[in-house]
């Protein structure tokens, strides 16, 4: 059955660590310039993740594709939070 515990893809530890580091950096970005620079880095990371995801599909590497999909989701959420911070 879909949605059961065994069917759920869990993020790799490096993805969780990366996500925590991004959030920490966002909390520490005290100026608009620092937030803008961080957003630019996050956009580069997101673009690289999209390319990596594409490569995993081409290679037929489903487990890696699942991890890159999770990473992309974390990066997109981070970028959305950054947009909200810039608007406030």
């Amino acid at each position: 059955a879909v949605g059961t515990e065994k069917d759920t893809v869990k993020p790799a530890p490096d993805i969780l660590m990366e996500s925590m580091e991004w959030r920490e950096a966002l909390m520490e970005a005290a100026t608009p310039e620092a937030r803008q620079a961080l957003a630019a880095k996050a956009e580069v990371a997101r673009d690289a993740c999209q390319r990596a995801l594409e490569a995993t599909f081409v290679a037929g590497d489903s487990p890696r594709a699942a991890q890159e999909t999770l990473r992309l989701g974390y990066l997109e959420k981070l970028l959305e939070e950054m947009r909200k911070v810039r608007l406030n």
Side-chain angles (χ1 to χ4, degrees):
V2 174
T4 63
E5 181 79 21
K6 71 178 185 101
D7 293 330
T8 302
V9 176
K10 300 217 182 327
D14 64 315
I15 293 174
L16 293 174
M17 182 62 71
E18 177 185 356
S19 178
M20 289 177 7
E21 289 170 355
W22 278 113
R23 296 199 183 295
E24 214 172 271
L26 179 57
M27 290 181 354
E28 293 173 358
T31 66
E33 295 80 14
R35 289 190 292 274
Q36 184 62 37
L38 186 62
K41 287 181 184 179
E43 288 170 356
V44 168
R46 182 214 37 219
D47 294 346
C49 183
Q50 288 173 328
R51 287 189 300 277
L53 181 56
E54 182 179 337
T56 62
F57 280 116
V58 169
D61 187 351
S62 297
R64 189 71 204 149
Q67 291 300 313
E68 290 300 331
T69 300
L70 291 171
R71 176 177 273 124
L72 183 59
Y74 284 127
L75 287 167
E76 288 292 352
K77 185 175 180 185
L78 174 75
L79 286 164
E80 179 60 31
E81 289 176 19
M82 289 179 174
R83 283 188 282 278
K84 288 178 184 175
V85 168
R86 283 187 289 199
L87 294 174
N88 293 331

